[in-house]
Amino acid sequence: MMIHAYQEIYLSKAQSVLGDAFDYAVNICGIPGNDFVKLFVASSVSKRMENGEPAYLAGKSGIEIVIEIVEETKSQKLHIELQEHFERSKEYWIGWAVAYYQWHSIRKYRDIFKVVSFEDLQKMYYTLHEADITKFVDIVDSRMKEYFVETNLKRIRTVYGVTQAELAERSGVSLRSIQMYEQRNKNINKASVETIYRLAKVLGCTMEDLIEK
């Protein structure tokens, strides 16, 4: 079962906040999209949104978030009129869609933007902004899998929501072995049946799920 950082009832608000932030940063403040992505990822704001801190999901506006990001990362105060921008721009959609994907996938914003750049997202807008969000999720998921080739063990452990140390303690398989299986330094397909059984039992999956095809 996927363990999200915050409840789904906050999701639409988080999406609109990040959508407004991208829209305001690019269209009102004139910050190039790629530059704003770098500032956002470098800031503590992205981590706080990932962690589901209420102040950053529902307490602050997109404008306030941009001001905070610029001040934190560049030590600059934005002297731009705080005007609301009600048009749903391409930049708004980018922030809106990425916020959804981050919640859905529980990946870090830093990793998402490594795989899909601001330009990639701009191109996706034309075909996807009126489509169901699941189409966007499927496309980004497939790119993620190409970029981050994770072992089945790491993928299932991450989704299950346990650390390597917790899995080691609960399964009786050494932490070092788990690390080596996940880094492909040891081949899990050659592990003993007992080892795979213990890992699968803790993770609530079948032994076959952990085997690399």
Side-chain angles (χ1 to χ4, degrees):
M1 184 180 139
M2 189 87 78
I3 299 168
H4 300 289
Y6 55 93
Q7 293 176 303
E8 193 169 357
I9 54 169
Y10 296 109
L11 177 57
S12 64
K13 178 63 178 167
Q15 288 179 266
S16 67
V17 166
L18 197 59
D20 284 338
F22 268 81
D23 180 54
Y24 181 72
V26 176
N27 294 317
I28 307 298
C29 302
I31 302 171
N34 273 328
D35 290 353
F36 183 64
V37 165
K38 287 174 191 167
L39 299 179
F40 172 63
V41 166
S43 74
S44 63
V45 171
S46 61
K47 285 79 177 171
R48 287 171 165 166
M49 291 189 80
E50 287 166 4
N51 294 336
E53 289 189 24
Y56 290 83
L57 299 180
K60 293 176 184 277
S61 70
I63 291 172
E64 288 170 323
I65 277 178
V66 174
I67 292 168
E68 188 172 326
I69 289 169
V70 171
E71 197 164 328
E72 183 191 328
T73 56
K74 300 182 81 177
S75 301
Q76 291 176 4
K77 283 196 181 290
L78 280 175
H79 299 293
I80 291 170
E81 188 183 338
L82 300 185
Q83 51 185 302
E84 292 289 350
H85 193 211
F86 294 107
E87 181 190 341
R88 292 291 180 248
S89 65
K90 181 167 47 181
E91 290 73 23
Y92 176 90
W93 178 83
I94 288 171
W96 178 88
V98 170
Y100 182 92
Y101 184 78
Q102 191 283 319
W103 176 85
H104 169 85
S105 68
I106 62 173
R107 288 184 180 271
K108 296 189 181 302
Y109 281 112
R110 179 184 66 232
D111 292 339
I112 296 168
F113 283 113
K114 264 184 199 165
V115 175
V116 282
S117 68
F118 187 78
E119 282 95 348
D120 291 335
L121 292 160
Q122 282 183 309
K123 288 171 189 165
M124 288 183 195
Y125 170 81
Y126 296 105
T127 52
L128 295 176
H129 75 281
E130 290 181 347
D132 191 279
I133 190 68
T134 54
K135 290 192 176 172
F136 176 76
V137 168
D138 290 344
I139 289 169
V140 180
D141 265 345
S142 67
R143 293 196 185 190
M144 282 283 180
K145 283 170 188 161
E146 286 170 19
Y147 190 94
F148 296 106
V149 185
E150 295 178 338
T151 60
N152 290 334
L153 174 61
K154 183 177 181 182
R155 179 177 54 78
I156 292 167
R157 177 183 63 74
T158 304
V159 168
Y160 190 76
V162 293
T163 65
Q164 291 176 330
E166 287 167 338
L167 179 57
E169 186 180 334
R170 289 163 62 180
S171 67
V173 177
S174 74
L175 175 59
R176 185 73 190 127
S177 290
I178 290 169
Q179 289 170 335
M180 292 184 79
Y181 290 138
E182 291 196 359
Q183 292 161 4
R184 299 185 191 277
N185 291 327
K186 273 175 84 173
N187 186 350
I188 198 168
N189 293 4
K190 294 180 180 175
S192 70
V193 171
E194 185 184 357
T195 293
I196 298 174
Y197 171 76
R198 285 178 174 187
L199 293 169
K201 190 176 179 187
V202 173
L203 295 172
C205 63
T206 67
M207 292 168 65
E208 289 74 21
D209 288 335
L210 297 177
I211 298 297
E212 296 296 320
K213 304 294 188 283

